Amino acid sequence: GQNIDQPTEMTATEGAIVQINCTYQTSGFNGLFWYQQHAGEAPTFLSYNVLDGLEEKGRFSSFLSRSKGYSYLLLKELQMKDSASYLCAAPRGYGQNFVFGPGTRLSVLP
Amino acid sequence: DAGVTQSPTHLIKTRGQQVTLRCSPKSGHDTVSWYQQALGQGPQFIFQYYEEEERQRGNFPDRFSGHQFPNYSSELNVNALLLGDSALYLCASSWGRATNEKLFFGSGTQLSVL
C-alpha cells in the first residue's frame, strides 16, 4: 500500500523561512511531487524530485531522501500570498494515479 | 492557452439524485483524471481516462462512472448520491501516461448533497 503523511497546519511570519515535511511509504517509487493549493482554487505544480538531493526554484526548494522515505518543501522569504495548502503526492505504480497527503495548511502572518 | 476548465463550479443535489460533472483538458493534453477532495483533506484518485477508455481506477464504488470523448473532454457521473459524496471534484489533465508527468488541475466543482 501507499501512505503519505505531512503536518496539517503550520504558521510562519512574513519574510521568514519555513520547511514543510512529508514522509511516504510506497510499494514502488516513481518520484515525489509538491503542489500548492490556495483556498477555493486548483492545485498548481511546484516541484518534482526523483533523485536524492535538493532542487531549487527561486524562493522554493524541494528535497528528497529515498532511503528515508522523506521529502521537504522549503519556502524562503515568505510572502502573504504563500498562505495556502501544500500537497505532497506520489504516483501509485504505472500512470498518473497519484496518492496525495492530507495537505499542510500554511498561514503566513505579518 | 486555456487551462483545464470544469463545469459547473457549484452544484446542490439531494440524496438519491444523479449528477454529471464536465471537464475540458488543457490544450494538447490527452489524459484526464478525476479526484475527489473532501474538506481539509488531500485529493483522492477516482479514475483516469486515456484514449476514451478508463485506464486506472481508485477505490470508488461503481456509482462513480465516467466517459472521455474524442476531443479528450470528459464527464464524471455519480448515481444514487449519498451525503458523503459532498466534496470538491477536481479534474486534472496531462499528456500521455508517464508517471513523471505533472498534472494540471481545474478549479473544481463543489458538490453539496443535502
Side-chain angles (χ1 to χ4, degrees), chain B residues 95-109:
Chain B
W95 185 86
R97 298 174 63 194
T99 54
N100 62 349
E101 281 292 323
K102 61 186 179 186
L103 300 178
F104 288 79
F105 285 90
S107 295
T109 294

Side-chain angles (χ1 to χ4, degrees), chain A residues 7-87:
Chain A
T8 52
E9 290 197 36
M10 296 184 72
T11 303
T13 306
E14 197 174 11
I17 299 173
V18 72
Q19 178 175 311
I20 302 174
N21 296 326
C22 168
T23 57
Y24 64 89
Q25 295 171 321
T26 58
S27 52
F29 183 74
N30 291 300
L32 199 91
F33 291 73
W34 284 93
Y35 286 83
Q36 179 192 59
Q37 185 177 26
H38 285 100
E41 296 184 15
T44 54
F45 170 80
L46 285 178
S47 68
Y48 168 68
N49 294 70
V50 67
L51 299 177
D52 290 351
L54 190 69
E55 293 274 346
E56 297 189 72
K57 268 190 191 180
R59 294 191 300 114
F60 290 15
S61 304
S62 56
F63 172 84
L64 176 68
S65 169
R66 289 173 294 172
S67 62
K68 294 181 180 175
Y70 168 68
S71 173
Y72 67 72
L73 183 69
L74 192 71
L75 291 74
K76 303 175 191 173
E77 301 168 17
L78 280 172
Q79 301 175 10
M80 299 296 287
K81 67 178 182 179
D82 297 330
S83 293
S85 281
Y86 292 86
L87 300 161

Side-chain angles (χ1 to χ4, degrees), chain B residues 7 18 23 37 42 57 60 63 68 70 76 79 90 107-110:
Chain B
S7 63
Q18 178 264 344
C23 172
Q37 187 175 25
R57 189 178 183 92
F60 279 79
R63 297 187 297 110
Q68 185 178 36
L76 164 65
N79 293 324
L90 294 166
S107 295
T109 294
Q110 184 66 55

Side-chain angles (χ1 to χ4, degrees), chain A residues 87-103:
Chain A
L87 300 161
C88 179
R92 182 193 286 116
Y94 182 77
Q96 298 137 21
N97 171 353
F98 282 83
V99 178
F100 280 84

Side-chain angles (χ1 to χ4, degrees), chain B residues 22-34 49-53 67-75 91-96:
Chain B
R22 295 178 175 83
C23 172
S24 291
K26 179 178 168 62
S27 178
H29 286 182
D30 58 3
T31 303
V32 173
S33 304
W34 286 92
Y49 279 85
Y50 174 72
E51 292 186 339
E52 301 180 52
E53 290 190 14
H67 190 77
Q68 185 178 36
F69 299 93
N71 66 353
Y72 307 119
S73 67
S74 177
E75 287 182 349
C91 170
S93 75
S94 54
W95 185 86

